[in-house]
Amino acid sequence: MRKILITGANGQLGSELTIELRKLAGNENVIATDISEPDKSQREGLFEKLDVLDKELYKELIRKYKITEIYHLAALLSANAEKNVETAWGLNMNGLLNTLDLARKFEIGKVFWPSSIAVFGPDAHKNRTPQESPCNPTTVYGITKVAGEQWCAYYHRKFGLDVRSIRYPGLIGYKSLPGGGTTDYAVDIYHKAVKGELFNCFLSRDSALPMMYMSDAVKATIDLMNAQADRLTVRTSYNVSAISFTPEEIANSIKKHIPGFSIRYEPDYRQEIAASWPDSIDDSIARRDWDWEPDFSLDKMTMDILRHLPNLIEKTSSME
Ligand code: SER
């Protein structure tokens, strides 16, 4: 019997992954947790308030629900982390260490932890960055991800903990608002376009970044967690890739449906973060080891978002 605990369940990935895991494992077998109050996506199932730095409470919840699987998603994203260096280090590192330590002590069957393209720095290959490129990040967030990957590999090697991880590109979903990441302009842009507002982009027009639609991110996570353990050759974190585009390209994709949409480029400190990351990622090892394959192109994603987001915005504003 699977008993799943998710941390950071109110976040961009967490809210959508929770819904999918509830579908797969049953509402009564998925315990969503977050430091903040449950949001609307959590109304259907079990929810507990949890600060992952509160190890005693974390332990109590694992014990209370007899947890067998953890998805540890609570973290500060790149742009927020640059502004809150100590908080980011404390949360991103100690949250993971608490998770790994409790998972080992309570013999949790499987743990998932998200890494990021932010592990790469200016000395990594810019295009189709291979799995084994140098990982010398220039951001605090990136440093926590490189260290986290090594901790995951350590717990696997030393204690046999089945911890699995993906280096997500920028994740784009329409169900929740941006969460303080550098790639989050590509979430915000759709909200502005649907509301008929001008979009001020904090990156320059030609700043290409690896990205992925949320449904592909959820699929990748579930597929990796379902993969046979003996097929997995990477115990730090897997490169995965879906689409890569610049702000100008996403704006043009939106203009196909909303011709009057306009964008202005006003790069700020986040441009420097973006410039230190790859333009695109080579994910051939994930494809080989667990048959990874994305479904969404840029235009397909735009179409899907523009089909659903207007209703969601209307519903939210009528509730206000
Ligand atoms: N989406 C993340 C960020 O921008 C990168 O993993 O922080």
Side-chain angles (χ1 to χ4, degrees), residues 3 31 46-48 60-67:
K3 282 277 178 192
I31 295 85
L46 297 164
F47 183 92
E48 297 272 0
E60 276 320 302
L61 294 179
I62 290 175
R63 204 181 264 148
K64 174 175 167 191
Y65 291 103
K66 301 190 171 52
I67 296 300

Side-chain angles (χ1 to χ4, degrees), residues 29-295:
N29 296 318
V30 178
I31 295 85
T33 74
D34 201 281
I35 194 165
S36 53
E37 296 296 332
D39 69 11
K40 55 185 185 314
S41 62
Q42 312 296 355
R43 281 193 200 127
E44 298 296 313
L46 297 164
F47 183 92
E48 297 272 0
K49 228 172 148 182
L50 172 67
D51 173 352
V52 290
L53 299 181
D54 183 347
K55 203 170 173 184
E56 275 309 302
L57 180 59
Y58 202 164
K59 182 159 75 181
E60 276 320 302
L61 294 179
I62 290 175
R63 204 181 264 148
K64 174 175 167 191
Y65 291 103
K66 301 190 171 52
I67 296 300
T68 64
E69 243 172 85
I70 298 177
Y71 292 73
H72 170 52
L73 310 179
L76 235 58
L77 290 182
S78 61
N80 278 352
E82 287 307 299
K83 289 189 166 162
N84 305 283
V85 171
E86 280 176 37
T87 312
W89 181 257
L91 173 63
N92 293 12
M93 282 328 335
N94 294 329
L96 175 62
L97 285 174
N98 284 349
T99 303
L100 294 173
D101 184 50
L102 292 172
R104 174 171 80 91
K105 289 190 176 133
F106 285 86
E107 298 179 356
I108 303 289
K110 278 183 206 168
V111 176
F112 178 81
W113 175 75
S115 184
S116 160
I117 53 160
V119 293
F120 299 118
D123 59 349
H125 299 78
K126 205 72 184 141
N127 291 305
R128 292 194 52 75
T129 311
Q131 179 72 41
E132 297 301 341
S133 282
C135 288
N136 296 311
T138 50
T139 62
V140 179
Y141 178 71
I143 297 171
T144 67
K145 291 300 183 187
V146 173
E149 287 190 3
Q150 293 304 322
W151 276 115
C152 290
Y154 179 87
Y155 268 75
H156 178 256
R157 195 169 54 239
K158 184 131 183 176
F159 307 115
L161 185 68
D162 190 355
V163 48
R164 305 178 180 198
S165 176
I166 284 174
R167 288 173 177 157
Y168 290 118
L171 301 185
I172 305 163
Y174 62 87
K175 292 182 188 161
S176 45
L177 293 170
T182 303
T183 55
D184 278 348
Y185 86 85
V187 176
D188 200 21
I189 195 170
Y190 287 106
H191 287 260
K192 294 289 187 303
V194 166
K195 290 180 184 160
E197 293 171 15
L198 165 75
F199 179 62
N200 279 319
C201 184
F202 56 70
L203 298 187
S204 60
R205 72 170 67 229
D206 56 352
S207 191
L209 283 170
M211 300 279 192
M212 182 180 280
Y213 192 35
M214 195 57 86
S215 73
D216 272 335
V218 169
K219 180 175 89 152
T221 312
I222 306 274
D223 285 356
L224 173 62
M225 290 301 268
N226 283 340
Q228 249 174 265
D230 58 8
R231 284 186 70 192
L232 303 182
T233 59
V234 175
R235 287 296 183 163
T236 48
S237 187
Y238 277 98
N239 274 13
V240 292
S241 158
I243 39 186
S244 171
F245 55 79
T246 63
E248 189 167 40
E249 285 163 343
I250 190 174
N252 287 338
S253 176
I254 292 172
K255 279 183 196 161
K256 289 180 192 164
H257 304 268
I258 307 177
F261 173 63
S262 48
I263 178 166
R264 190 165 56 200
Y265 300 94
E266 290 180 343
D268 64 15
Y269 71 100
R270 290 166 282 195
Q271 174 56 36
E272 204 179 314
I273 300 179
S276 76
W277 291 349
D279 289 357
S280 61
I281 297 284
D282 174 1
D283 60 359
S284 45
I285 298 184
R287 288 172 187 260
R288 182 198 67 195
D289 284 5
W290 43 279
D291 311 314
W292 159 243
E293 209 180 331
D295 289 329

